Amino acid sequence: MFTQVNGVNHHYRSLGEGPPIVLIHGLGGALDVWHGVAELLALHHHVVTLDLRGHGRTPAGRAQLSIKSWAQDVAGLMGALELPAATVVGHSMGSLIAQHMALTTPDLVDQLVLVGGISYFEPPDRQAYEQRAKAVDDNGLDDIVDDWLEGALSPRTHARLPQISGLLRHLFLSNDPKSYAKACRALAKMPSIGREQIGQPTLLLVGDHDRSTPLRMTEQLHRDIPVSRVQVIPSAAHWMTLEHPDVIAAAILQFLT
């Protein structure tokens, strides 16, 4: 399905009935990374997923890509669909969007779930995203896909479920290189978020093999967000929504009951 939000035709999916849950993907992702999680959550909830601006089937448009503009798009979609306050779930870059929404539009966010959540970047991390953007601008996505994919999934997944590795590789290469590079720069320039002011109950999920957003980031989020708890997902790396959708869905449902 498609709907106009803030001047861009946004691709989204809506399924199930019940209390609403909004799922926000991360850098280089698309709504389909939530497919398994969404199908399970939709047994008890109204689940909405979307392709963020510049990702999947949603064009980048003319506006500058940023955590703020993506958060405004998610809020705009919720308004267009007339959703009440929802559980907002964000993966990786999507976790920053979710945190931003929790602070700037608290009336839209009942609970918060951060999957592979980002707390802060040290200067070397920010520089790494700038360098990645330049590499993509200069040589395209093929130049970085193999190094990126190696750390995206756990060793167990690479060995036992090579089809997931192949599909994730395809998803990554399906990105528009220019939009991906812009998104990298938006992530490098992520705003400071006053997490101490987040009042929503928050679940923090992290994979035990996550190199992109390791446990130390989740521990920092736990220290900063007043009402939060941590759950470590075994045999999972950064793209745990593809590796263990049943475990992620079960953790969210337990959190909401």
Side-chain angles (χ1 to χ4, degrees), residues 144-197:
I144 66 171
V145 63
D146 291 327
D147 287 342
W148 172 86
L149 184 61
E150 181 181 358
L153 301 169
S154 69
R156 178 184 181 276
T157 300
H158 280 302
R160 300 185 61 180
L161 298 170
Q163 66 272 28
I164 292 182
S165 301
L167 287 172
L168 187 55
R169 189 177 197 276
H170 174 75
L171 172 65
F172 184 81
L173 293 175
S174 297
N175 280 279
D176 171 64
K178 290 184 179 179
S179 295
Y180 182 83
K182 290 179 180 178
C184 284
R185 293 189 173 99
L187 190 52
K189 297 173 183 176
M190 71 175 195
S192 175
I193 297 175
R195 287 181 291 272
E196 299 84 357
Q197 300 175 38

Side-chain angles (χ1 to χ4, degrees), residues 6 73-74 91 119 150 160 162-163 177 206 221 225 237-238 242:
N6 297 330
D73 287 342
V74 177
H91 171 237
S119 56
E150 181 181 358
R160 300 185 61 180
Q163 66 272 28
V206 60
L221 291 168
I225 299 174
H238 193 55
L242 295 175

Side-chain angles (χ1 to χ4, degrees), residues 191-212:
S192 175
I193 297 175
R195 287 181 291 272
E196 299 84 357
Q197 300 175 38
I198 292 177
Q200 295 87 344
T202 302
L203 174 64
L204 305 168
L205 300 178
V206 60
D208 61 354
H209 285 79
D210 193 334
R211 298 187 337 203
S212 298

